Amino acid sequence: MPAEPRLLAGARLAVTTFTTLPVRAGRIDRPVAGTAMTLAPVVGALLGVLLAGVLLLAGALAPPLVAAGVTVGVAALLTRGLHLDGLADTVDALGSYRRGAAALEIMKKPDVGPFGVVALVVVLLVQAAALADLAGRSWPAALAAVVAATAAGRFGVTVACRRGVPAARPDGLGALVAGTVGPVAVAAGAVAVVLLAVPAVPGRPWQGPLAVVAAIAVALALLTHVVRRLGGITGDVLGATVEVVTTLVYLGLVLSG
């Protein structure tokens, strides 16, 4: 039986990695992993369409904050809460002030420490508050905002998996995907996500792209710190990157001034 084409296998891996959609896993190797991480923003954009639909539908039936809470819950459900789990584990490891293997051991523990709890509360509160604001905008703007934020969050993973960024462990998701994405794919993903954000803020076509660029800049700084402390990326780090970038984009989209 011939091997599955890399693009198709990469698309399958991207969907199974970033969502709970019932897609059968196919061929998995580093070239396929690179394709999957390149396609991560595409999966994020499709997920954003679903979440924007939830927000707009719930907003037509309930107060904005309730609609926002439902949307945040659906987002966690559609991703099995893995990105939130990665955020908590990563923040606990960094908050321990330990390095290398000692910090990685903290990330493997099943419990969530105080740093992780605070990180989860802050991220979920900011996302819900921002979505409540977006629920009051026109549907094209709300759609663009949610799609841009979710796509940007997954583009953060593309950036984290670029060439030159090592894995912290010799096994696991980090080892499979670290260093698999080339500069052309990163550049193309950046342009696509920035363009998605243009209509997100009515009357301010610059604010959405600026929010995306600022969020990715913070993610780059965070990744630099993580590599210094842990020795590279892990699956938890990728999940944390998704949540940090998504939250910062939402925040940037609702700022006024």
Side-chain angles (χ1 to χ4, degrees):
M1 185 174 181
E4 186 175 32
R6 189 171 77 176
L7 180 60
L8 179 57
R12 286 180 182 275
L13 182 59
V15 171
T16 56
T17 299
F18 295 105
T19 77
T20 57
L21 295 178
V23 175
R24 179 180 58 83
R27 164 190 161 201
I28 298 177
D29 52 35
R30 278 182 60 80
V32 167
T35 300
M37 298 305 103
T38 299
L39 294 175
V42 178
V43 175
L46 296 175
L47 181 62
V49 172
L50 293 176
L51 295 178
V54 171
L55 178 67
L56 293 169
L57 178 60
L61 302 172
L65 188 55
V66 174
V70 170
T71 304
V72 169
V74 172
L77 180 65
L78 290 177
T79 58
R80 295 188 296 273
L82 290 179
H83 306 323
L84 292 169
D85 179 68
L87 173 68
D89 288 343
T90 301
V91 172
D92 276 338
L94 295 177
S96 72
Y97 294 100
R98 298 182 182 179
R99 293 178 174 271
L104 292 172
E105 190 61 31
I106 290 174
M107 296 176 76
K108 292 173 65 176
K109 293 182 177 179
D111 58 323
V112 179
F115 285 110
V117 171
V118 171
L120 289 175
V121 170
V122 170
V123 161
L124 293 175
L125 280 176
V126 171
Q127 289 186 9
L131 284 165
D133 181 271
L134 295 174
R137 297 183 182 179
S138 65
W139 75 262
L143 174 63
V146 177
V147 169
T150 53
R154 280 69 187 172
F155 175 65
V157 174
T158 304
V159 172
C161 295
R162 71 193 187 280
R163 291 175 190 163
V165 179
R169 298 190 183 99
D171 54 6
L173 179 62
L176 177 67
V177 302
T180 58
V181 180
V184 174
V186 172
V191 171
V193 174
V194 165
L195 290 176
L196 285 174
V198 171
V201 184
R204 293 183 170 189
W206 51 267
Q207 187 168 340
L210 181 60
V212 170
V213 171
I216 294 301
V218 172
L220 285 169
L222 175 63
L223 288 166
T224 299
H225 180 62
V226 166
V227 171
R228 187 186 310 119
R229 288 282 302 280
L230 306 181
I233 63 170
T234 67
D236 283 334
V237 170
L238 298 181
T241 302
V242 169
E243 294 298 340
V244 168
V245 174
T246 301
T247 303
L248 290 176
V249 173
Y250 276 137
L251 181 61
L253 294 176
V254 299
L255 291 177
S256 61

